[in-house]
Amino acid sequence: MTQIAPTAQREYVTIFFNGEAYRVPRGLTIMKALEYAGFRFTRGSGCRGGFCGACPVIYRLPGDYKVRVGLACQTAVVDNMYISLIPYVPLVEHVSRREELKPDSGYVLKLFPELSRCVSCNSCSKACPQGLSPMDAVQAILRGDLKKAADLTFDCIACGLCSLRCPAEIRHHAVFRLVGRIVGVYYTPRSKSVEERVREIESGKYRAVFEKLLATPVTELRRVYEEYMKTGRLPESLEVR
Amino acid sequence: MYPPEVRKLIQIVEDTRRERARAPAPRRLSLEEREQLVRAWHPDYKPEYKRAVRVGPCKGLVMYSAVADLLESWPLVKPGELDLEHVDYEVDFLVVGSGGAGLATAWWAVKSGVDPSSVLIATKLRLGDSNTVKYQSGTQAATGPDDSPVIHLLDTLAGAHFTNNQKLVRVLAEEAPLVIKWLEELGVRWSRVGDDLERLPGGGATRARLHCCGDYTGLEVMRVLKDEIRSLGVRVLEFHPVIELLTDPDTGAVSGAVLLNLDTGEYKIVRSKVTVLATGGLGRLHIVGFPTTNHYGATADGLVLAYRAGAGLVDMDTLQYHPTGVAWPEAILGELIPEKTRSIGGQLVNAMGQRFIYELEPRDVVASAIIRECSEGRGVVTPTGTCGVWLDTPIIEVVKGPGTIKRELPALYRMFLRHGIDITEEPILTYPTLHYQNGGVLLDEWTHVLRPSGEPIRGLLAAGEVTGGIHGKNRLVGNSTADIFVFGRRAGIEASKLVRESPKPKLSLKHLERYIEELKQIGVPESRRAPILLPDYRGEAVLKRIIRISFQLK
Amino acid sequence: METLLYYPGCSIKRDFSEVERSSRAVLEALGYRVVELRDWYCCGGFPGSTALDHVKYVSSLRTLSLAQSQARELGANTVLVLCPFCYNTLKQAEKLPAERLDVYKRVAEYLRDELTPYQSGLRVAHLVEVLASRLSDLSKLAGGGLRGVRVAAYYGCMLLRPRSVAVDNPEDPGVVESIVKALGAEPVKHPYRSYCCGSYHAVGEAEIVRRNTSRVAWSVMSSGADLVVTPCPLCLYNLKKYTDLRVVHLSELVAYALGAREALSPEALRVLSPLRGEA
């Protein structure tokens, strides 16, 4: 295991977790610092790269009333931060079957009526560790522009921090996931080239060449490939008709 | 923020940038040159990292020592310790793991006729927590009009120096376009250019055939799949890893599994007619001390489970080190810098300001080149003592125009900005990082797990990173996600057939008896156990003073 | 050419897009350039007109603050609003610094985290005000097709109350009548033209709307009008649903008079085309 052993040259900072003080090396993320301090995560650690929303954190710095947010796997420790981990935000959402989806903001509002309680306070955007504006997406849904809402929330990692801060108790990432699916299913045209290629494959167009290739010894395949790398062309016997 | 001593070293990257933007790329290597470079520098070729495993169906097979250590470990439970009469879950189909392969399998099983309430997904963390959710570089599929699955196959074979199981590669290449279409129909928002899907170039691929969803491909695909699974009524048990498979004492078929509730420590017994392993990779074992790009749960669990049930293994003497992992800052050490950074124009530059390899060679070649530069004194030593080379990202803005990075690589931009580095203005330090398990359990075209003799183990299927043979000794970018969906689909379809044919099996831990005998014979202490389920990153100072009051994970 | 910064509001975008179409056609015919605001937020209309004193201004003040930078780019200073609820809330926000400094200070302080709060320099204007400032041009552009058609105006509440934001005298408004006259039709005043239609009680307590609109209808019918015209989409909706009155939005009548038939919905055309002016 790669571990960070305490050494004389390292600098240390103090962090407070659940109110308790711990000395940890500077330069680590909150997640790695807590592990250094002896905590082993079961919940609250996922991809560890900032993509999955498993490790939201809220914290405060001394002398400042502002609530700050981040992801434990992405936020570096700072001296005297007061940390709380949030491994789960309850949303209790309805999951629609694909056939039930409707390309209509009214459908979204029926499932999530609290959306119309949005008072545009922007607390959600201030809580987003990805720097997105959930409020703009909610507003777009309220005026019927589902495509805009889906585009604005493409990078949402569903950490739930915005929903925790929202006075209207909107369940943001459940809404965004629904809108994203509606847009993906209804507003995104299907690629003709993919359809064409799938038709060709299902008709067995490539079968003969594949069988020939799989019967070819490796030394011959290497030669064919070397040639192909130089000329960009495959030998006639391996061309697909 | 880069400290001042590092800022000084950046100077040479900035001074050489204009010249490098104009000059042609380094020459592409021939197949033989690729092999020479890899043999000289790649960790796969260092005999000191390998040994022969001394137990199990592949006794004598040479593999990475860390993997051998894991296989030479005691199970977490012994025969006779558990009450197998009381079955907690009677299902037709057990899916172990919930990444791309696991979810695809469950979906296709239901689509092929398995009753969703009789499909159980047992996953170690949350539904969808996996390597898949992090993937950025896209999925390879020969969908373009000037491309063909034949070329995809040839590129894949060449990228692995022709060590792959060609039959499996044929399935991959031929069916990858099918899964792109499937995901499109589910509502996955693939990036588009005009009327058509966008296709990007990638290392070792002679046609542009990487399909992405912006910079969050894995996240978008997994969101849609999770939604589908939830709406289908498939049963899901989160935080319930499989710690041991169960086998029928009469036939040797896999008949279920022992799950562990990570919160309470309780075990649960599952009886299933068919089990599929979709457990992913092993990055969190930090083999040979490398950092990793993998998610928290990548600890080779499925490999251990399958091996004990009799599976053959292939290519476990190779691992993929992604050439560009973060070398600094330490906070994000080992995290992925996606291949797209290079395919849109990022350049690898050594400490003298020179390019030293064509950036889009296959991954093992680029990784070997970087290791060579660092080992021969042309690398940059970071403030934490690690070594790396520069990946010049500002040059992308110079060549493709300002705003390119924010548009094409928002996730990478965000990651570095959180640590005070603006990659549109400053280059980044990179070194290879443990990324992918090329090999794995022996597999046939319909995802049956095979014994070394080639005979299938009844009741056991596998899909995704845990399997071997498809990628040979080196995987190409974008082929892993093609793999999980293509073979996940096949596993689901096959499972539905097997479920109809299979009777209700009996449960036992009999397959462990012989394994435990072999462990005793080579004198492995009982304190060494596997699967390890989660890595242990607790500080040394803390570990020295821990008293275990009972066998608990925490 | 004067540029108007256009604030659409949620209702117009979601349910009354035809009002936007006809209004745009009319304003463009009058020579205005109408540019939709890049960043705008729901004014919070309904809750805003009841309680929640400070919170209701956050959104409107934010919209005005962001509008200001676009205003500078375009050399414009008028924010055009079509919906009277939005007009009411945004106008109150515009006047906050001058009229309720204590409330303004709190809201501005909250917004300072994100942006520089609006202080002055913009004029929020309802469509009615813009049209009323161009009466002679409207006369020139209108054909004679409405001569002799008797048109009653129905104002609703939000353009006239409270006094600080009213576009006209709430007890005896006449601005819509002046527009009707400029178009060549004959305006007919009637007593209940600024009586509340029941507004958003249409959702929840429809009886109120039924009762109020029936009074308005009685007032209109006693006046002998051929057509009712209103500057409020919600009043329009309520009158259409609960009465037999022939009613269109003000912008639709103007578009009709100016010959911009393509900007009209089939429903508006159905109401307007039977009207024949005297030769």
PDB file of all heavy atoms in Angstrom, chain B residues 305-334:
ATOM      1  N   LEU B 305     -12.002 -15.068  -6.152  1.00  0.00           N
ATOM      2  CA  LEU B 305     -13.189 -15.932  -6.039  1.00  0.00           C
ATOM      3  C   LEU B 305     -13.222 -16.969  -7.156  1.00  0.00           C
ATOM      4  O   LEU B 305     -13.472 -18.147  -6.917  1.00  0.00           O
ATOM      5  CB  LEU B 305     -14.467 -15.093  -6.120  1.00  0.00           C
ATOM      6  CG  LEU B 305     -14.656 -13.987  -5.082  1.00  0.00           C
ATOM      7  CD1 LEU B 305     -15.889 -13.169  -5.405  1.00  0.00           C
ATOM      8  CD2 LEU B 305     -14.758 -14.573  -3.698  1.00  0.00           C
ATOM      9  N   ALA B 306     -12.955 -16.479  -8.391  1.00  0.00           N
ATOM     10  CA  ALA B 306     -13.021 -17.396  -9.532  1.00  0.00           C
ATOM     11  C   ALA B 306     -11.907 -18.441  -9.449  1.00  0.00           C
ATOM     12  O   ALA B 306     -12.118 -19.613  -9.748  1.00  0.00           O
ATOM     13  CB  ALA B 306     -12.905 -16.601 -10.829  1.00  0.00           C
ATOM     14  N   TYR B 307     -10.731 -18.005  -9.053  1.00  0.00           N
ATOM     15  CA  TYR B 307      -9.592 -18.926  -8.978  1.00  0.00           C
ATOM     16  C   TYR B 307      -9.877 -20.058  -7.999  1.00  0.00           C
ATOM     17  O   TYR B 307      -9.602 -21.224  -8.262  1.00  0.00           O
ATOM     18  CB  TYR B 307      -8.342 -18.149  -8.573  1.00  0.00           C
ATOM     19  CG  TYR B 307      -7.044 -18.886  -8.796  1.00  0.00           C
ATOM     20  CD1 TYR B 307      -6.694 -19.332 -10.069  1.00  0.00           C
ATOM     21  CD2 TYR B 307      -6.177 -19.147  -7.743  1.00  0.00           C
ATOM     22  CE1 TYR B 307      -5.509 -20.007 -10.283  1.00  0.00           C
ATOM     23  CE2 TYR B 307      -4.979 -19.825  -7.946  1.00  0.00           C
ATOM     24  CZ  TYR B 307      -4.654 -20.253  -9.223  1.00  0.00           C
ATOM     25  OH  TYR B 307      -3.479 -20.928  -9.434  1.00  0.00           O
ATOM     26  N   ARG B 308     -10.463 -19.709  -6.874  1.00  0.00           N
ATOM     27  CA  ARG B 308     -10.770 -20.738  -5.880  1.00  0.00           C
ATOM     28  C   ARG B 308     -11.825 -21.701  -6.393  1.00  0.00           C
ATOM     29  O   ARG B 308     -11.862 -22.865  -5.992  1.00  0.00           O
ATOM     30  CB  ARG B 308     -11.269 -20.102  -4.583  1.00  0.00           C
ATOM     31  CG  ARG B 308     -10.173 -19.386  -3.831  1.00  0.00           C
ATOM     32  CD  ARG B 308     -10.626 -18.974  -2.454  1.00  0.00           C
ATOM     33  NE  ARG B 308      -9.617 -18.140  -1.825  1.00  0.00           N
ATOM     34  CZ  ARG B 308      -9.886 -17.080  -1.089  1.00  0.00           C
ATOM     35  NH1 ARG B 308     -11.133 -16.734  -0.869  1.00  0.00           N
ATOM     36  NH2 ARG B 308      -8.915 -16.391  -0.549  1.00  0.00           N
ATOM     37  N   ALA B 309     -12.697 -21.218  -7.288  1.00  0.00           N
ATOM     38  CA  ALA B 309     -13.732 -22.094  -7.848  1.00  0.00           C
ATOM     39  C   ALA B 309     -13.218 -22.900  -9.025  1.00  0.00           C
ATOM     40  O   ALA B 309     -13.962 -23.673  -9.616  1.00  0.00           O
ATOM     41  CB  ALA B 309     -14.934 -21.260  -8.270  1.00  0.00           C
ATOM     42  N   GLY B 310     -11.933 -22.688  -9.400  1.00  0.00           N
ATOM     43  CA  GLY B 310     -11.339 -23.524 -10.437  1.00  0.00           C
ATOM     44  C   GLY B 310     -10.999 -22.837 -11.739  1.00  0.00           C
ATOM     45  O   GLY B 310     -10.611 -23.484 -12.707  1.00  0.00           O
ATOM     46  N   ALA B 311     -11.104 -21.508 -11.778  1.00  0.00           N
ATOM     47  CA  ALA B 311     -10.900 -20.809 -13.054  1.00  0.00           C
ATOM     48  C   ALA B 311      -9.441 -20.770 -13.471  1.00  0.00           C
ATOM     49  O   ALA B 311      -8.545 -20.675 -12.629  1.00  0.00           O
ATOM     50  CB  ALA B 311     -11.415 -19.379 -12.938  1.00  0.00           C
ATOM     51  N   GLY B 312      -9.219 -20.804 -14.777  1.00  0.00           N
ATOM     52  CA  GLY B 312      -7.884 -20.555 -15.312  1.00  0.00           C
ATOM     53  C   GLY B 312      -7.657 -19.064 -15.379  1.00  0.00           C
ATOM     54  O   GLY B 312      -8.605 -18.277 -15.393  1.00  0.00           O
ATOM     55  N   LEU B 313      -6.387 -18.678 -15.372  1.00  0.00           N
ATOM     56  CA  LEU B 313      -6.048 -17.259 -15.491  1.00  0.00           C
ATOM     57  C   LEU B 313      -5.131 -17.075 -16.682  1.00  0.00           C
ATOM     58  O   LEU B 313      -4.392 -17.980 -17.060  1.00  0.00           O
ATOM     59  CB  LEU B 313      -5.313 -16.779 -14.236  1.00  0.00           C
ATOM     60  CG  LEU B 313      -6.047 -16.898 -12.908  1.00  0.00           C
ATOM     61  CD1 LEU B 313      -5.153 -16.402 -11.779  1.00  0.00           C
ATOM     62  CD2 LEU B 313      -7.344 -16.111 -12.931  1.00  0.00           C
ATOM     63  N   VAL B 314      -5.182 -15.902 -17.269  1.00  0.00           N
ATOM     64  CA  VAL B 314      -4.340 -15.638 -18.420  1.00  0.00           C
ATOM     65  C   VAL B 314      -3.781 -14.219 -18.336  1.00  0.00           C
ATOM     66  O   VAL B 314      -4.444 -13.300 -17.829  1.00  0.00           O
ATOM     67  CB  VAL B 314      -5.166 -15.871 -19.721  1.00  0.00           C
ATOM     68  CG1 VAL B 314      -6.210 -14.787 -19.895  1.00  0.00           C
ATOM     69  CG2 VAL B 314      -4.280 -15.938 -20.927  1.00  0.00           C
ATOM     70  N   ASP B 315      -2.532 -14.068 -18.776  1.00  0.00           N
ATOM     71  CA  ASP B 315      -1.898 -12.745 -18.860  1.00  0.00           C
ATOM     72  C   ASP B 315      -1.820 -11.995 -17.535  1.00  0.00           C
ATOM     73  O   ASP B 315      -1.813 -10.758 -17.515  1.00  0.00           O
ATOM     74  CB  ASP B 315      -2.614 -11.857 -19.888  1.00  0.00           C
ATOM     75  CG  ASP B 315      -2.430 -12.380 -21.306  1.00  0.00           C
ATOM     76  OD1 ASP B 315      -1.366 -12.983 -21.568  1.00  0.00           O
ATOM     77  OD2 ASP B 315      -3.350 -12.205 -22.125  1.00  0.00           O
ATOM     78  N   MET B 316      -1.714 -12.709 -16.401  1.00  0.00           N
ATOM     79  CA  MET B 316      -1.571 -12.002 -15.134  1.00  0.00           C
ATOM     80  C   MET B 316      -0.115 -11.610 -14.892  1.00  0.00           C
ATOM     81  O   MET B 316       0.251 -11.173 -13.800  1.00  0.00           O
ATOM     82  CB  MET B 316      -2.095 -12.857 -13.972  1.00  0.00           C
ATOM     83  CG  MET B 316      -3.615 -12.992 -13.950  1.00  0.00           C
ATOM     84  SD  MET B 316      -4.510 -11.433 -14.146  1.00  0.00           S
ATOM     85  CE  MET B 316      -3.930 -10.485 -12.750  1.00  0.00           C
ATOM     86  N   ASP B 317       0.713 -11.802 -15.919  1.00  0.00           N
ATOM     87  CA  ASP B 317       2.084 -11.312 -15.811  1.00  0.00           C
ATOM     88  C   ASP B 317       2.197  -9.946 -16.491  1.00  0.00           C
ATOM     89  O   ASP B 317       3.289  -9.450 -16.741  1.00  0.00           O
ATOM     90  CB  ASP B 317       3.045 -12.307 -16.482  1.00  0.00           C
ATOM     91  CG  ASP B 317       2.679 -12.569 -17.946  1.00  0.00           C
ATOM     92  OD1 ASP B 317       1.535 -12.238 -18.340  1.00  0.00           O
ATOM     93  OD2 ASP B 317       3.522 -13.088 -18.693  1.00  0.00           O
ATOM     94  N   THR B 318       1.057  -9.372 -16.824  1.00  0.00           N
ATOM     95  CA  THR B 318       1.081  -8.038 -17.415  1.00  0.00           C
ATOM     96  C   THR B 318       0.083  -7.143 -16.701  1.00  0.00           C
ATOM     97  O   THR B 318      -0.935  -7.608 -16.206  1.00  0.00           O
ATOM     98  CB  THR B 318       0.703  -8.029 -18.914  1.00  0.00           C
ATOM     99  OG1 THR B 318      -0.651  -7.580 -19.051  1.00  0.00           O
ATOM    100  CG2 THR B 318       0.807  -9.398 -19.513  1.00  0.00           C
ATOM    101  N   LEU B 319       0.377  -5.855 -16.669  1.00  0.00           N
ATOM    102  CA  LEU B 319      -0.558  -4.870 -16.144  1.00  0.00           C
ATOM    103  C   LEU B 319      -0.450  -3.631 -17.019  1.00  0.00           C
ATOM    104  O   LEU B 319       0.620  -3.376 -17.589  1.00  0.00           O
ATOM    105  CB  LEU B 319      -0.194  -4.484 -14.705  1.00  0.00           C
ATOM    106  CG  LEU B 319      -0.491  -5.527 -13.631  1.00  0.00           C
ATOM    107  CD1 LEU B 319       0.094  -5.083 -12.302  1.00  0.00           C
ATOM    108  CD2 LEU B 319      -1.991  -5.753 -13.496  1.00  0.00           C
ATOM    109  N   GLN B 320      -1.547  -2.889 -17.119  1.00  0.00           N
ATOM    110  CA  GLN B 320      -1.440  -1.643 -17.874  1.00  0.00           C
ATOM    111  C   GLN B 320      -1.208  -0.471 -16.941  1.00  0.00           C
ATOM    112  O   GLN B 320      -1.969  -0.240 -15.999  1.00  0.00           O
ATOM    113  CB  GLN B 320      -2.686  -1.379 -18.693  1.00  0.00           C
ATOM    114  CG  GLN B 320      -2.505  -0.110 -19.533  1.00  0.00           C
ATOM    115  CD  GLN B 320      -3.551   0.033 -20.595  1.00  0.00           C
ATOM    116  OE1 GLN B 320      -4.627   0.526 -20.334  1.00  0.00           O
ATOM    117  NE2 GLN B 320      -3.237  -0.406 -21.806  1.00  0.00           N
ATOM    118  N   TYR B 321      -0.117   0.211 -17.218  1.00  0.00           N
ATOM    119  CA  TYR B 321       0.162   1.459 -16.509  1.00  0.00           C
ATOM    120  C   TYR B 321      -0.225   2.566 -17.465  1.00  0.00           C
ATOM    121  O   TYR B 321       0.361   2.702 -18.541  1.00  0.00           O
ATOM    122  CB  TYR B 321       1.652   1.536 -16.153  1.00  0.00           C
ATOM    123  CG  TYR B 321       2.093   0.359 -15.318  1.00  0.00           C
ATOM    124  CD1 TYR B 321       2.514  -0.817 -15.928  1.00  0.00           C
ATOM    125  CD2 TYR B 321       2.067   0.410 -13.926  1.00  0.00           C
ATOM    126  CE1 TYR B 321       2.886  -1.916 -15.169  1.00  0.00           C
ATOM    127  CE2 TYR B 321       2.451  -0.674 -13.161  1.00  0.00           C
ATOM    128  CZ  TYR B 321       2.848  -1.843 -13.788  1.00  0.00           C
ATOM    129  OH  TYR B 321       3.202  -2.923 -13.034  1.00  0.00           O
ATOM    130  N   HIS B 322      -1.210   3.331 -17.116  1.00  0.00           N
ATOM    131  CA  HIS B 322      -1.602   4.431 -17.997  1.00  0.00           C
ATOM    132  C   HIS B 322      -0.440   5.403 -18.050  1.00  0.00           C
ATOM    133  O   HIS B 322       0.077   5.799 -17.012  1.00  0.00           O
ATOM    134  CB  HIS B 322      -2.848   5.126 -17.461  1.00  0.00           C
ATOM    135  CG  HIS B 322      -3.480   6.050 -18.452  1.00  0.00           C
ATOM    136  ND1 HIS B 322      -2.930   7.280 -18.777  1.00  0.00           N
ATOM    137  CD2 HIS B 322      -4.582   5.930 -19.211  1.00  0.00           C
ATOM    138  CE1 HIS B 322      -3.691   7.860 -19.690  1.00  0.00           C
ATOM    139  NE2 HIS B 322      -4.696   7.066 -19.971  1.00  0.00           N
ATOM    140  N   PRO B 323      -0.005   5.778 -19.253  1.00  0.00           N
ATOM    141  CA  PRO B 323       1.203   6.617 -19.333  1.00  0.00           C
ATOM    142  C   PRO B 323       1.096   7.929 -18.561  1.00  0.00           C
ATOM    143  O   PRO B 323       2.069   8.375 -17.974  1.00  0.00           O
ATOM    144  CB  PRO B 323       1.348   6.894 -20.831  1.00  0.00           C
ATOM    145  CG  PRO B 323       0.248   6.202 -21.518  1.00  0.00           C
ATOM    146  CD  PRO B 323      -0.557   5.433 -20.557  1.00  0.00           C
ATOM    147  N   THR B 324      -0.098   8.542 -18.560  1.00  0.00           N
ATOM    148  CA  THR B 324      -0.164   9.874 -17.952  1.00  0.00           C
ATOM    149  C   THR B 324      -1.052   9.872 -16.715  1.00  0.00           C
ATOM    150  O   THR B 324      -2.246  10.124 -16.780  1.00  0.00           O
ATOM    151  CB  THR B 324      -0.677  10.917 -18.959  1.00  0.00           C
ATOM    152  OG1 THR B 324      -1.908  10.448 -19.535  1.00  0.00           O
ATOM    153  CG2 THR B 324       0.336  11.143 -20.060  1.00  0.00           C
ATOM    154  N   GLY B 325      -0.411   9.594 -15.577  1.00  0.00           N
ATOM    155  CA  GLY B 325      -1.074   9.798 -14.297  1.00  0.00           C
ATOM    156  C   GLY B 325      -0.539  11.100 -13.717  1.00  0.00           C
ATOM    157  O   GLY B 325       0.505  11.601 -14.135  1.00  0.00           O
ATOM    158  N   VAL B 326      -1.264  11.659 -12.761  1.00  0.00           N
ATOM    159  CA  VAL B 326      -0.780  12.893 -12.135  1.00  0.00           C
ATOM    160  C   VAL B 326       0.445  12.569 -11.279  1.00  0.00           C
ATOM    161  O   VAL B 326       0.404  11.656 -10.463  1.00  0.00           O
ATOM    162  CB  VAL B 326      -1.879  13.514 -11.231  1.00  0.00           C
ATOM    163  CG1 VAL B 326      -1.332  14.715 -10.483  1.00  0.00           C
ATOM    164  CG2 VAL B 326      -3.090  13.899 -12.059  1.00  0.00           C
ATOM    165  N   ALA B 327       1.543  13.305 -11.494  1.00  0.00           N
ATOM    166  CA  ALA B 327       2.743  13.084 -10.675  1.00  0.00           C
ATOM    167  C   ALA B 327       2.827  14.092  -9.541  1.00  0.00           C
ATOM    168  O   ALA B 327       3.506  13.877  -8.547  1.00  0.00           O
ATOM    169  CB  ALA B 327       3.995  13.175 -11.548  1.00  0.00           C
ATOM    170  N   TRP B 328       2.134  15.179  -9.703  1.00  0.00           N
ATOM    171  CA  TRP B 328       2.135  16.239  -8.681  1.00  0.00           C
ATOM    172  C   TRP B 328       0.929  17.113  -8.941  1.00  0.00           C
ATOM    173  O   TRP B 328       0.636  17.401 -10.066  1.00  0.00           O
ATOM    174  CB  TRP B 328       3.438  17.052  -8.791  1.00  0.00           C
ATOM    175  CG  TRP B 328       3.678  17.876  -7.582  1.00  0.00           C
ATOM    176  CD1 TRP B 328       4.314  17.493  -6.435  1.00  0.00           C
ATOM    177  CD2 TRP B 328       3.252  19.225  -7.359  1.00  0.00           C
ATOM    178  NE1 TRP B 328       4.315  18.517  -5.519  1.00  0.00           N
ATOM    179  CE2 TRP B 328       3.668  19.595  -6.059  1.00  0.00           C
ATOM    180  CE3 TRP B 328       2.557  20.157  -8.129  1.00  0.00           C
ATOM    181  CZ2 TRP B 328       3.407  20.837  -5.505  1.00  0.00           C
ATOM    182  CZ3 TRP B 328       2.299  21.397  -7.582  1.00  0.00           C
ATOM    183  CH2 TRP B 328       2.721  21.734  -6.288  1.00  0.00           C
ATOM    184  N   PRO B 329       0.154  17.644  -7.971  1.00  0.00           N
ATOM    185  CA  PRO B 329       0.398  17.567  -6.534  1.00  0.00           C
ATOM    186  C   PRO B 329       0.010  16.227  -5.913  1.00  0.00           C
ATOM    187  O   PRO B 329      -0.759  15.462  -6.480  1.00  0.00           O
ATOM    188  CB  PRO B 329      -0.508  18.678  -5.986  1.00  0.00           C
ATOM    189  CG  PRO B 329      -1.601  18.823  -6.970  1.00  0.00           C
ATOM    190  CD  PRO B 329      -1.012  18.488  -8.293  1.00  0.00           C
ATOM    191  N   GLU B 330       0.550  15.999  -4.744  1.00  0.00           N
ATOM    192  CA  GLU B 330       0.362  14.726  -4.059  1.00  0.00           C
ATOM    193  C   GLU B 330      -1.109  14.420  -3.799  1.00  0.00           C
ATOM    194  O   GLU B 330      -1.507  13.267  -3.803  1.00  0.00           O
ATOM    195  CB  GLU B 330       1.106  14.802  -2.728  1.00  0.00           C
ATOM    196  CG  GLU B 330       1.086  13.513  -1.957  1.00  0.00           C
ATOM    197  CD  GLU B 330       1.869  13.644  -0.667  1.00  0.00           C
ATOM    198  OE1 GLU B 330       2.148  14.791  -0.267  1.00  0.00           O
ATOM    199  OE2 GLU B 330       2.203  12.620  -0.084  1.00  0.00           O
ATOM    200  N   ALA B 331      -1.899  15.465  -3.610  1.00  0.00           N
ATOM    201  CA  ALA B 331      -3.312  15.263  -3.280  1.00  0.00           C
ATOM    202  C   ALA B 331      -4.000  14.395  -4.322  1.00  0.00           C
ATOM    203  O   ALA B 331      -4.874  13.600  -4.009  1.00  0.00           O
ATOM    204  CB  ALA B 331      -4.014  16.604  -3.157  1.00  0.00           C
ATOM    205  N   ILE B 332      -3.613  14.553  -5.582  1.00  0.00           N
ATOM    206  CA  ILE B 332      -4.290  13.813  -6.645  1.00  0.00           C
ATOM    207  C   ILE B 332      -3.316  12.869  -7.345  1.00  0.00           C
ATOM    208  O   ILE B 332      -3.497  12.496  -8.503  1.00  0.00           O
ATOM    209  CB  ILE B 332      -4.963  14.755  -7.670  1.00  0.00           C
ATOM    210  CG1 ILE B 332      -4.009  15.881  -8.073  1.00  0.00           C
ATOM    211  CG2 ILE B 332      -6.233  15.331  -7.083  1.00  0.00           C
ATOM    212  CD1 ILE B 332      -4.597  16.789  -9.145  1.00  0.00           C
ATOM    213  N   LEU B 333      -2.303  12.424  -6.620  1.00  0.00           N
ATOM    214  CA  LEU B 333      -1.284  11.551  -7.187  1.00  0.00           C
ATOM    215  C   LEU B 333      -1.903  10.320  -7.834  1.00  0.00           C
ATOM    216  O   LEU B 333      -2.733   9.630  -7.238  1.00  0.00           O
ATOM    217  CB  LEU B 333      -0.329  11.102  -6.067  1.00  0.00           C
ATOM    218  CG  LEU B 333       0.852  10.244  -6.505  1.00  0.00           C
ATOM    219  CD1 LEU B 333       1.837  11.087  -7.295  1.00  0.00           C
ATOM    220  CD2 LEU B 333       1.546   9.617  -5.294  1.00  0.00           C
ATOM    221  N   GLY B 334      -1.492  10.048  -9.062  1.00  0.00           N
ATOM    222  CA  GLY B 334      -1.962   8.840  -9.722  1.00  0.00           C
ATOM    223  C   GLY B 334      -3.275   8.985 -10.454  1.00  0.00           C
ATOM    224  O   GLY B 334      -3.657   8.100 -11.224  1.00  0.00           O
TER     225      GLY B 334
END
